[in-house]
């Protein structure tokens, strides 16, 4: 249940009955425990408008609001804040609900375009943020019951592939191993630039490919399959939920591009500039106020990144019937997406009611504030990054000296390694640059994945010692101790947090939530006897623990992070 929304609805009704028009109650979680559990800040703005005393108004709102069975205590504080304390009965009822996450009444069709690397290169750290943040958002929206369409808009078409395939075929050795793809790519580009006859052969390949020549298509497909298998291998290692079914790359739109351009023309949007076809929209200007074009077809007839994106938008609208389309790329593509959305709407390729959202993120930096790269300045392949994470996690887990068997040990190492990489990224507000730091992400205390995973494992061991199966555990909850109550309040905020993440595509809210949950659990765990408590209290406390574990597990799952029963 979304408690914040419930309170907001009830109080907004009361505000509305007084002001005789829709008035937001502005309910948010209380900033401090002495302010109750939630607070409503709407009285100040309304009092200003009605020119009355905000405290008296707040009092009237509280009297008019239907909060029975939900709120035990209200208090008017300061200039007119309404502080709300949930009733014990409501807290326990909310906690013991069998379905932890309520499904949206009307699922949206949500397209999520993420990861989307270029298949001519090895998957490297530059693709990490889009992959991890997009995946967490997709999982969260799915958990809420939406119809999610993952779209891996890979770069799989154009000159780079002509260059690569020509190079590989002339190498005279089997090339079904692409672990050196970046090196191949660099050597192929070099020859492409320096050797006109090579460039010509590569271009011919692209022309053949574009005209649908069979042999070229087969060879191209062979290469793409190989490169995407490599990509899939890395997704699997990273526990990313993308599969080959989600790939719908630039090449998939190849046959639609001419139509896109002619439809832009029909919509009266096409201009010619130096022989190239482009769209000018008033709101886009470059240096000195000169109009900025969005190029859709070069003078040699070739199409561009924008063009396939327009075609992809139409597919997502017409075939996937998207209500919302989310794109996760770094902030440098901001202008591309602003223009894309504006042109898609101006041409009526997409109705105004479809929400188009670019969710940018900042750069990945190293400790000295430079782009995070390997020593020689090249981008670090993700495969290598995962290897290093596993190695470091192995040392960290080993130092815990738990008696895990080999198989369990490997499971824990994997969960900790992948969890650490993902969580460190996800826990920061994505719009900012983010500094990659092994030591802090693998720490067992602080806002890290291992800290949360450890708390989960601790609860499991509690249940193992109590000889109760956590999954089937349900009991009445009494919440007598303040630390126990504070944990319960946090448990009640899970739903509203997931909904916030889904709305804003900002997984750091979920991380902050889980961290707070874990901290409250630790305080409870350290101050309240559980297994040694009296019978009734013991049952109640175990129930709170069970719910905490379930929430942690589900929350981590939404982030694409595994929990483990023992650590
Ligand atoms: N392949 C692009 C890149 O590597 C990202 C694609 C993002 N998605 C899109 N529909 N444009 O920069």
């Amino acid at each position: 249940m979304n408690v914040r929304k419930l309170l907001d609805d009830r109080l907004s009704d009361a505000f509305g009955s007084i002001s005789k028009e829709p008035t937001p109650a502005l309910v948010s979680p209380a900033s401090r425990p002495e302010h109750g559990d939630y607070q409503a800040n709407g009285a100040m703005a309304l009092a200003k408008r009605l020119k009355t005393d905000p405290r008296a108004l707040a009092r009237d709102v509280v009297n008019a609001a239907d909060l029975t069975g939900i709120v035990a205590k209200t208090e008017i504080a300061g200039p007119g804040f309404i502080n709300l304390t949930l009733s014990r009965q409501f807290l326990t009822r909310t906690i013991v609900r069998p379905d932890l996450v309520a499904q949206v009444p009307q699922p949206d069709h949500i397209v999520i375009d993420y990861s989307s690397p270029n298949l001519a290169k090895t998957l490297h750290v530059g693709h990490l943020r889009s992959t991890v943040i997009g995946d967490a958002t997709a999982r969260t929206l799915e958990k809420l019951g939406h119809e999610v369409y993952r779209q891996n808009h890979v770069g799989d078409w154009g000159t780079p592939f002509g260059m690569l395939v020509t190079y590989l075929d002339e190498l005279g050795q089997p090339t079904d191993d692409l672990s050196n793809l970046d090196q191949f790519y660099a050597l192929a580009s070099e020859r492409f630039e320096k050797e006109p006859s090579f460039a010509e052969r590569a271009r011919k390949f692209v022309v053949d490919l574009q005209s649908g020549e069979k042999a070229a298509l087969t060879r191209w497909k062979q290469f793409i399959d190989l490169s995407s298998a490599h990509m899939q291998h890395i997704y699997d290692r990273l526990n990313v939920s993308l599969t080959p079914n989600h790939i719908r790359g630039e090449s998939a739109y190849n046959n639609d591009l001419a139509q896109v351009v002619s439809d832009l023309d029909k919509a009266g949007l096409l201009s010619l500039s130096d022989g190239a076809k482009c769209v000018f929209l008033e709101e886009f200007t470059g240096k000195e106020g000169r109009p900025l074009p969005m190029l859709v077809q070069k003078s040699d007839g070739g199409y561009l990144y924008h063009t396939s994106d327009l075609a992809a938008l139409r597919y997502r609208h017409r075939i996937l019937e998207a209500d919302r389309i989310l794109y996760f790329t770094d902030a440098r593509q901001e202008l591309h997406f602003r223009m894309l959305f504006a042109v898609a709407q101006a041409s009526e390729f997409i109705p105004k009611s479809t929400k188009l959202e670019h969710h940018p993120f900042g750069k990945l930096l190293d400790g000295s504030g430079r782009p995070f790269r390997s020593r020689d300045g090249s981008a670090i392949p993700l495969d290598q990054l995962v290897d290093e994470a596993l190695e470091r996690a192995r040392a960290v887990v080993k130092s815990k000296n738990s008696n895990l068997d080999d198989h369990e040990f490997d499971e824990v190492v994997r969960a900790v390694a992948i969890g650490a990489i993902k969580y460190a990224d996800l826990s920061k507000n994505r719009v900012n640059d983010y500094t990659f730091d092994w030591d802090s992400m693998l720490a067992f205390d602080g806002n890290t994945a291992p800290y949360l995973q450890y708390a989960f494992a601790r609860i499991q061991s509690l249940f193992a010692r109590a000889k109760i199966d956590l999954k089937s555990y349900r009991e009445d909850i009494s919440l007598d101790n303040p630390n126990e109550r504070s944990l319960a309040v946090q448990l009640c905020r899970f739903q509203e947090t997931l909904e916030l993440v889904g709305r804003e595509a900002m997984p750091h809210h979920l991380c902050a939530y889980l961290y707070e949950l874990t901290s409250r659990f630790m305080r409870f765990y350290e101050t309240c006897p559980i297994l040694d408590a009296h019978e009734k209290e013991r049952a109640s406390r175990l129930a709170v623990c069970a719910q905490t574990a379930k929430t942690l597990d589900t929350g981590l799952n939404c982030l694409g992070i595994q929990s483990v029963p023992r650590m």
Side-chain angles (χ1 to χ4, degrees), residues 113 116-118 153 155 250 305 309 316 327 329 333 336-337:
D113 179 322
S116 304
N118 187 338
H153 189 87
E250 293 176 7
Y305 184 50
D309 251 334
R316 292 163 186 189
Y327 296 84
T329 77
Q333 295 199 34
H336 164 71
F337 284 107

Side-chain angles (χ1 to χ4, degrees), residues 113-119 124 126-127 130 151-156 248 250 253 305-306 308-310 312-313 316 325-330 332-333 336-337 340 358:
D113 179 322
Y114 69 103
S115 196
S116 304
N118 187 338
L119 290 181
H124 58 75
H127 303 114
S130 173
Q151 292 283 291
N152 198 354
H153 189 87
V154 295
D156 60 355
R248 200 175 165 88
E250 293 176 7
Y253 302 105
Y305 184 50
H306 298 290
S308 16
D309 251 334
L310 279 170
L313 265 174
R316 292 163 186 189
I325 309 177
L326 282 60
Y327 296 84
F328 291 88
T329 77
D330 71 40
R332 284 173 303 183
Q333 295 199 34
H336 164 71
F337 284 107
L340 177 71
H358 177 221

Side-chain angles (χ1 to χ4, degrees), residues 363-433:
K363 293 190 282 293
L364 192 59
L365 304 176
D366 66 15
S368 52
R370 282 187 288 268
F372 183 62
R373 289 179 169 279
S374 65
R375 240 162 260 213
D376 65 5
S378 61
I380 302 170
L382 281 182
D383 231 1
Q384 200 177 309
L385 191 85
V386 172
D387 287 343
E388 181 162 359
L390 289 170
E391 194 183 306
R392 287 174 181 264
R394 197 162 287 129
V396 170
V397 176
K398 201 169 216 146
S399 71
K400 288 263 149 196
N401 277 325
S402 327
N403 53 345
L404 304 167
D405 65 36
D406 287 355
H407 174 73
E408 239 186 330
F409 180 80
D410 287 346
E411 277 289 289
V412 172
V413 166
R414 190 176 117 86
V416 166
I418 303 304
I421 294 183
K422 288 184 171 180
Y423 191 88
D425 194 332
L426 292 168
S427 59
K428 317 287 186 311
N429 184 330
R430 64 168 157 73
V431 301
N432 302 320
D433 290 347

Side-chain angles (χ1 to χ4, degrees), residues 131-148:
T131 306
V132 167
I133 301 170
D135 204 47
T137 309
R139 287 170 187 262
T140 304
L141 284 163
E142 214 156 47
K143 190 84 212 163
L144 288 165
H146 291 292
E147 195 71 56
V148 170

Side-chain angles (χ1 to χ4, degrees), residues 37 195 198 230 337 358 366 433 458 460 521 532:
D37 302 323
E195 222 180 284
F198 176 85
H230 185 69
F337 284 107
H358 177 221
D366 66 15
D433 290 347
R458 205 171 247 202
Q460 305 299 308
F521 169 75
D532 299 334

Side-chain angles (χ1 to χ4, degrees), residues 107-388:
D108 284 334
H109 283 212
I110 305 181
V111 171
I112 310 191
D113 179 322
Y114 69 103
S115 196
S116 304
N118 187 338
L119 290 181
K121 300 236 182 116
T122 308
L123 219 61
H124 58 75
V125 288
H127 303 114
L128 188 64
R129 301 206 76 189
S130 173
T131 306
V132 167
I133 301 170
D135 204 47
T137 309
R139 287 170 187 262
T140 304
L141 284 163
E142 214 156 47
K143 190 84 212 163
L144 288 165
H146 291 292
E147 195 71 56
V148 170
Y149 298 92
R150 293 167 174 77
Q151 292 283 291
N152 198 354
H153 189 87
V154 295
D156 60 355
W157 199 246
T159 315
F161 299 92
M163 236 165 58
L164 262 172
V165 169
T166 308
Y167 174 81
L168 291 172
D169 288 350
E170 292 179 11
L171 211 55
Q173 63 187 55
T175 46
D176 45 4
D177 172 12
L178 288 188
S179 48
N180 286 332
L181 183 57
D182 285 349
Q183 206 184 340
F184 291 149
Y185 186 82
L187 293 169
S189 333
E190 197 182 303
R191 282 190 67 186
F192 188 78
E193 262 160 46
K194 295 201 177 134
E195 222 180 284
S197 67
F198 176 85
E200 201 171 305
R201 290 195 296 281
R203 280 204 196 91
K204 165 139 194 331
F205 182 87
V206 178
V207 171
D208 288 349
L209 194 60
Q210 274 163 346
S211 59
E213 205 262 320
K214 242 188 157 165
L217 269 175
T218 310
R219 180 63 187 102
W220 165 81
K221 181 82 173 54
Q222 229 174 26
F223 176 84
I224 294 299
D225 286 349
L226 205 58
S227 180
S228 26
H230 185 69
M231 171 176 83
Q232 188 59 45
H233 170 70
I234 295 168
Y235 290 153
D236 293 344
R237 291 190 83 191
L238 278 170
N239 185 25
V240 166
S241 64
L242 287 167
T243 69
N245 286 336
H246 301 124
I247 299 178
R248 200 175 165 88
E250 293 176 7
S251 67
Y253 302 105
N254 207 25
N255 294 333
D256 306 336
L257 303 178
Q259 190 68 44
V260 162
V261 173
S262 94
D263 287 346
L264 287 172
D265 198 14
K266 266 186 230 142
L269 288 169
L270 218 56
S271 314
L272 226 54
S273 169
D274 292 332
K277 292 178 180 162
C278 53
V279 180
F280 286 101
L281 289 181
E282 249 175 46
E283 62 258 49
F284 295 103
T285 49
K287 280 196 196 99
E288 294 151 20
R290 264 185 303 217
L292 206 60
M294 180 171 116
L295 223 56
V296 291
Q297 189 171 20
K298 293 187 281 189
S299 53
D300 67 4
Y303 298 102
L304 296 107
Y305 184 50
H306 298 290
T307 331
S308 16
D309 251 334
L310 279 170
L313 265 174
R314 289 226 279 208
Y315 169 80
R316 292 163 186 189
H317 166 57
R318 290 178 180 170
I319 309 296
L320 303 180
E321 299 181 358
D323 299 300
R324 253 180 105 184
I325 309 177
L326 282 60
Y327 296 84
F328 291 88
T329 77
D330 71 40
R332 284 173 303 183
Q333 295 199 34
E334 220 147 17
L335 181 64
H336 164 71
F337 284 107
R338 270 200 292 129
M339 290 185 125
L340 177 71
F341 299 166
V343 171
Q345 286 177 340
S347 58
E348 296 181 6
F349 283 6
I350 287 266
K352 284 253 163 29
S353 55
T354 308
K355 289 191 206 116
L356 302 176
E357 308 169 18
H358 177 221
H359 295 291
F361 46 81
K363 293 190 282 293
L364 192 59
L365 304 176
D366 66 15
S368 52
R370 282 187 288 268
F372 183 62
R373 289 179 169 279
S374 65
R375 240 162 260 213
D376 65 5
S378 61
I380 302 170
L382 281 182
D383 231 1
Q384 200 177 309
L385 191 85
V386 172
D387 287 343
E388 181 162 359

